[in-house]
Amino acid sequence: MRHTISLLVENEFGVLSRIAGLFSGRGFNIESLCVAESLDPTISTMTIVTTGNDAILEQILKQLNKLINIIKVVDFKDIDYVSREMILVKVNAEEKTRAEILRIVEIFRGKIIDVSSRTYTIMITGDEGKLKAFLSLMKPIGIKELVRTGPIAMARGERMLKIKEQTEIKEEVNG
Amino acid sequence: MKRTGAQIFVESLKAEGIDTIFCYPGGATLNITDALTDISQIRQVVVRHEQAAVHAADGYARASGKVGVALVTSGPGATNTVTGIATACMDSIPMVIFSCQVNTMLIGNDAFQEADIIGITRPCTKHSYLVRDVKDLSKIIKEAFHIAESGRPGPVLVDIPKDVSSALGEFKYPERVHIRSYQPTYIGHPGQIKKAMRLMLHAKRPVLYTGGGVISSNASVELTKFAEALSIPVTNTLMGLGGIPGDHPLFLGMLGMHGTYAANMAITESDLIIAMGARFDDRATGKTDEFAPHAKIIHIDIDPTSISKNIKVDIPIVGDTRNVLMHMLKIVEEEKDAYKQHHNIAEWTGKINQWKKDYPLTYQKSDILKPQYVIERIFELTKGKAIITTEVGQNQMWTAQFFKFLKPRTCLTSGGLGTMGYGFPAAIGAQVAFPKSLVIDIAGDGSIQMNIQELATAVQYNLPVKVVILNNGFLGMVRQWQELFYEKRYTWTHLHSPDFVKVAEAYGAVGLRIETEKDVDKILKQAFKNNRPTFIDVHVNPEECVYPMVPAGASLKEMLLV
Ligand SMILES: Cc1ncc(C[n+]2csc(CCOP(=O)(O)OP(=O)(O)O)c2C)c(N)n1
Ligand SMILES: [Mg+2]
């Protein structure tokens, strides 16, 4: 099963390697990972798409939470969310296919962002289904190269990914 | 007043109340080494190999409950610590390891004695820091100690470049730490605890299965009280030994691969397992599909990742073991009447006592000296009043079986990683923490050679550690598997060892030898009171096996018995 997870992490040196290392060291899959600074420049937001059954997902979430630099972990499993990805595709653009490509790109509200005598480079954003549909239409025309950002996600409505109220540090219980 | 990073480092350790460090110098430590000149509040024990510095700090931490500290140089000094750090990480031991690093400007350039120690140790530390500016140094040190000892404890590495230790800065040690992304849960959820207690009230065949978490949260008094209050039998993991006195009538012995018959059968037939500070390691559970097939499972642990990792748990309780136990004791007290009325496990207790009687831990007596006998005698002669460390292999398992650990923090052993070479330096660390206690490393002839150079440290600092080498001429535990599962092909496992008596003497320690049963008491007594570091080379039966044994991958009830 595929899951989308969002993280708030300290915008610090080495955090990404801790996360990547956790996934590889424990044999978890990463399908995609997107990271960049958030509204608060001390924090980065990360979206990870991973696969695994419920038990594995539970471990992934717990293990991520355990990393010291991770502030918050949210699994979108039971949350209504929106998710978008951007792709760049370079396709064959011969005399006879150019018009058709333009039309399809228009329908998908994409953009041609670079042109050469034999290629178009197209930019499209959308959810998984839309991108899949677009790529299947381009396939017979001839896809030469594909680069994807991997999805980024956000909860719908007023729900937000926030740090919890700063709680007082608990006095140590151990004598 | 401006101070150098090295001085700030020293002041930070003092402010943290650190009284001992285990260390080894090099070019990159020099600023700090120099700043530690004549600092008598901090005892500086210089070892002979950095792995031993970390194990010694680990032994110091396990025995005392305080955070252990090691300090090493860059490059090879740092890489030599890896086994020690991984050992501590697996067993959740609070430690801070300071590694020195090449100048910040040189990092990444393959400079002389540069190693990316943060990268190398990332998977085996709880956390790590590279100090990039002297102004962050004291804050990082404070955080490192806080992280090491709070929550589920573990080793934290702090890498200090040489230009940071020479740079000037202000010293101000933070009074408190607040890490927004790190707030361990100590208090168990009351609703979950209530649910757990309800299960316990009606259980007919309950077992407490407890691990290192009981030791690290100092919960052994509460555990014992709780077990007594409900008469629930207790089995420990290797890491949990000493959590309840080894001679307690409710104690079943260790469970798992070399656990007792009673413990493994109790788990198998139980209808309620109450796991505390244990993590269902494969050496403890055997085949997971057949682990406690009839039982509901309650799991109390401070680390959520341990819960439902290997075995699906019915009632998880995240919290500090001691805290949760205190809460549960209160409920038992409050609901005394209900317990009197409903809680009845006499039949179960009877069954367990029968198992204990029918299948006690035992071994075949013979003319050849048996290693189990030696350990029994060590227990009797010390009356259990000793800090015991072990190496890894048969020596470790026999110690776990035949030494009845009466108190927590007296069994120091590498459980999770199973590191040969751990026991001797760990004993040195424990002896530094408790100079007046009798500290004994129960060793194998293979393992002792992995850190035998620390004899020099023991002699130099006059640490009267005793090393009892159960000399069987083999890498015994591996040989046992070859005997049982590889038709006795003893490839690689036959050992040639030096004359350990002479080795000890060459280092300036005492060397003694035991070859027959009748020498055991005499020589051990002599060793225990000579107040000097001592090796006791004990020639034991070469082909003795550890029993019971649950073959790897089998279920707990499939034990090979003596
Ligand atoms: C560093 C390390 N290397 C290898 C092993 C694998 N190993 C486990 S037990 C053992 C034999 C230990 O021999 P010895 O110290 O003589 O103890 P014995 O089993 O004979 O009591 C070996 C090689 C290990 N645990 N640790
Ligand atoms: Mg041996």
Side-chain angles (χ1 to χ4, degrees):
Chain A
M1 256 227 291
R2 178 187 274 160
H3 301 276
T4 304
I5 299 168
S6 257
L7 309 175
L8 293 183
V9 306
E10 295 291 349
N11 189 2
E12 266 172 24
F13 173 81
V15 179
L16 182 59
S17 67
R18 286 180 204 280
I19 293 168
L22 186 142
F23 274 78
S24 64
R26 294 190 179 266
F28 303 145
N29 291 318
I30 296 188
E31 270 194 11
S32 70
L33 186 155
C34 267
V35 57
E37 203 174 284
S38 73
L39 203 55
D40 174 347
T42 67
I43 295 175
S44 298
T45 313
M46 199 176 287
T47 312
I48 298 178
V49 178
T50 179
T51 52
N53 62 26
D54 285 355
I56 291 174
L57 179 70
E58 183 182 329
Q59 265 300 307
I60 292 177
L61 298 175
K62 285 175 169 177
Q63 294 286 356
L64 284 169
N65 258 311
K66 189 172 164 180
L67 290 180
I68 308 285
N69 293 139
I70 294 197
I71 304 168
K72 186 153 181 137
V73 182
V74 171
D75 163 31
F76 283 115
K77 194 170 152 213
D78 301 315
I79 297 176
D80 204 10
Y81 71 104
V82 287
S83 158
R84 292 290 182 274
E85 179 175 6
M86 184 173 93
I87 58 176
L88 299 180
V89 215
K90 203 182 292 279
V91 296
N92 285 328
E94 314 283 337
E95 266 309 314
K96 55 183 188 317
T97 52
R98 284 187 180 236
E100 189 188 350
I101 296 172
L102 281 174
R103 212 177 58 240
I104 298 173
V105 169
E106 177 121 344
I107 294 170
F108 279 82
R109 295 203 198 116
K111 259 192 189 147
I112 311 262
I113 55 173
D114 185 49
V115 182
S116 77
S117 57
R118 297 168 58 189
T119 61
Y120 276 158
T121 301
I122 305 159
M123 175 186 90
I124 299 232
T125 56
D127 61 15
E128 203 192 334
K130 174 178 166 187
L131 299 180
K132 206 165 148 196
F134 177 77
L135 289 172
S136 71
L137 289 172
M138 285 301 116
K139 208 162 164 203
I141 297 169
I143 299 177
K144 296 169 82 78
E145 193 182 355
L146 170 67
V147 180
R148 330 179 55 128
T149 59
I152 51 173
M154 193 179 263
R156 281 187 188 276
E158 278 161 35
R159 192 166 191 145
M160 271 176 290
L161 203 56
K162 267 195 316 220
I163 315 176
K164 334 188 242 259
E165 289 297 292
Q166 297 213 345
T167 44
E168 265 294 285
I169 324 167
K170 288 177 191 121
E171 286 305 321
E172 252 160 74
V173 182
N174 297 359
Chain B
M1 186 183 90
K2 295 258 186 207
R3 297 177 213 235
T4 64
Q7 287 165 332
I8 291 174
F9 172 84
V10 174
E11 291 307 314
S12 300
L13 288 200
K14 283 198 213 157
E16 194 59 40
I18 299 306
D19 55 17
T20 307
I21 64 173
F22 299 90
C23 45
Y24 204 85
T29 69
L30 275 170
N31 296 331
I32 291 175
T33 304
D34 192 53
L36 280 163
T37 306
D38 298 331
I39 303 288
S40 57
Q41 294 102 304
I42 303 175
R43 182 160 194 205
Q44 299 151 43
V45 180
V46 182
V47 295
R48 295 300 181 273
H49 186 298
E50 290 88 351
Q51 180 188 354
V54 183
H55 288 327
D58 171 315
Y60 175 94
R62 291 191 207 220
S64 69
K66 296 193 270 187
V67 181
V69 181
L71 192 156
V72 301
T73 193
S74 68
T79 54
N80 268 349
T81 64
V82 173
T83 304
I85 296 174
T87 302
C89 195
M90 282 289 239
D91 290 346
S92 311
I93 306 306
M95 294 208 302
V96 177
I97 296 91
F98 294 99
S99 54
C100 295
Q101 184 55 279
V102 301
N103 282 341
T104 327
M105 291 296 293
L106 292 174
I107 292 179
N109 285 6
D110 302 319
F112 178 63
Q113 295 197 326
E114 179 189 356
D116 173 14
I117 195 63
I118 299 266
I120 291 169
T121 60
R122 190 179 305 115
C124 62
T125 46
K126 181 170 173 185
H127 196 53
S128 49
Y129 293 91
L130 170 62
V131 186
R132 303 213 280 176
D133 191 325
V134 69
K135 75 178 184 338
D136 301 329
L137 182 59
S138 55
K139 177 168 175 278
I140 287 177
I141 293 176
K142 178 83 187 169
E143 285 188 9
F145 279 98
H146 171 68
I147 291 172
E149 66 185 336
S150 58
R152 177 177 176 175
V156 177
L157 182 127
V158 180
D159 203 18
I160 308 177
K162 195 167 180 188
D163 53 329
V164 171
S165 58
S166 62
L168 292 176
E170 294 288 342
F171 171 67
K172 189 170 173 291
Y173 202 61
E175 275 174 25
R176 310 192 80 192
V177 201
H178 178 70
I179 305 171
R180 62 180 168 185
S181 54
Y182 174 71
Q183 280 151 19
T185 308
Y186 287 99
I187 314 287
H189 190 281
Q192 291 291 91
I193 294 178
K194 214 178 228 160
K195 269 196 230 161
M197 293 306 294
R198 202 161 311 135
L199 280 186
M200 281 187 240
L201 180 60
H202 296 289
K204 290 285 164 266
R205 299 185 303 282
V207 181
L208 278 154
Y209 149 58
T210 67
V214 169
I215 311 290
S216 62
S217 75
N218 298 315
S220 56
V221 172
E222 289 76 10
L223 168 65
T224 310
K225 262 196 212 157
F226 184 74
E228 284 169 354
L230 298 184
S231 312
I232 303 180
V234 182
T235 178
N236 287 159
T237 66
L238 179 62
M239 297 307 301
L241 291 174
I244 180 167
D247 58 359
H248 196 287
L250 287 170
F251 185 52
L252 299 173
M254 184 172 74
L255 84 163
M257 183 171 273
H258 293 296
T260 64
Y261 185 85
N264 286 342
M265 288 311 290
I267 292 280
T268 306
E269 299 205 355
S270 166
D271 67 349
L272 181 65
I273 305 271
I274 307 131
M276 291 187 180
R279 58 185 178 86
F280 297 86
D281 172 84
D282 53 278
R283 284 292 188 267
T285 61
K287 187 176 182 183
T288 45
D289 298 343
E290 288 169 40
F291 178 82
H294 315 293
K296 285 231 179 319
I297 298 181
I298 299 166
H299 190 181
I300 300 151
D301 205 290
I302 197 154
D303 177 9
T305 68
S306 289
I307 297 178
S308 289
K309 181 172 62 178
N310 302 331
I311 302 267
K312 185 99 190 74
V313 165
D314 299 286
I315 303 192
I317 301 174
V318 178
D320 171 72
T321 315
R322 178 155 173 266
N323 206 277
V324 173
L325 269 167
M326 291 195 315
H327 191 151
M328 298 200 312
L329 275 166
K330 219 173 96 204
I331 296 181
V332 174
E333 182 58 34
E334 283 164 8
E335 299 179 7
K336 246 199 225 132
D337 297 338
Y339 278 95
K340 253 195 206 117
Q341 209 183 335
H342 298 290
H343 183 69
N344 182 356
I345 57 168
E347 198 181 317
W348 179 231
T349 314
K351 193 164 192 181
I352 281 177
N353 287 338
Q354 197 61 42
W355 282 331
K356 278 196 196 174
K357 219 167 95 197
D358 294 347
Y359 302 96
L361 282 172
T362 183
Y363 55 94
Q364 263 156 16
K365 302 264 170 5
S366 85
D367 291 343
I368 312 170
L369 181 55
K370 289 297 182 100
Q372 301 94 328
Y373 174 78
V374 178
I375 294 168
E376 282 178 333
R377 293 314 302 158
I378 296 175
F379 177 73
E380 292 301 330
L381 292 174
T382 60
K383 303 197 175 60
K385 287 202 192 85
I387 298 172
I388 305 289
T389 72
T390 78
E391 299 294 340
V392 169
Q394 295 181 314
N395 57 83
Q396 178 183 36
M397 290 299 109
W398 285 319
T399 305
Q401 294 179 331
F402 290 93
F403 194 96
K404 299 186 192 72
F405 292 94
L406 300 177
K407 288 219 167 84
R409 303 195 180 280
T410 57
C411 174
L412 280 42
T413 188
S414 168
L417 199 66
T419 307
M420 289 171 70
Y422 168 79
F424 184 31
I428 288 177
Q431 188 80 78
V432 170
F434 294 101
K436 296 217 173 71
S437 298
L438 177 58
V439 181
I440 307 169
D441 172 29
I442 299 182
D445 44 340
S447 301
I448 191 59
Q449 295 221 59
M450 287 212 176
N451 271 316
I452 201 163
Q453 76 287 345
E454 297 310 315
L455 261 169
T457 311
V459 170
Q460 179 177 339
Y461 295 93
N462 195 21
L463 300 164
V465 169
K466 315 299 168 195
V467 181
V468 177
I469 304 169
L470 299 176
N471 189 344
N472 51 13
F474 279 108
L475 295 168
M477 187 55 95
V478 184
R479 186 206 61 76
Q480 172 167 345
W481 286 50
Q482 290 173 323
E483 174 180 334
L484 297 174
F485 312 118
Y486 294 86
E487 292 155 341
K488 297 201 177 188
R489 286 185 295 278
Y490 296 157
T491 312
W492 298 3
T493 46
H494 194 80
L495 278 187
H496 171 81
S497 290
D499 180 331
F500 289 115
V501 172
K502 282 194 185 146
V503 170
E505 287 169 355
Y507 274 99
V510 178
L512 300 168
R513 179 164 291 127
I514 298 177
E515 280 165 327
T516 59
E517 217 174 274
K518 73 172 186 352
D519 289 342
V520 172
D521 278 29
K522 191 180 77 198
I523 302 280
L524 285 180
K525 275 188 200 155
Q526 189 184 330
F528 293 166
K529 60 168 194 254
N530 71 4
N531 211 22
R532 288 178 59 196
T534 306
F535 267 29
I536 307 124
D537 179 27
V538 191
H539 289 204
V540 296
N541 182 27
E543 296 195 36
E544 190 69 17
C545 284
V546 183
Y547 291 117
M549 178 174 190
V550 178
S555 75
L556 286 186
K557 63 177 186 295
E558 298 168 69
M559 281 167 274
L560 309 174
L561 299 169
V562 177

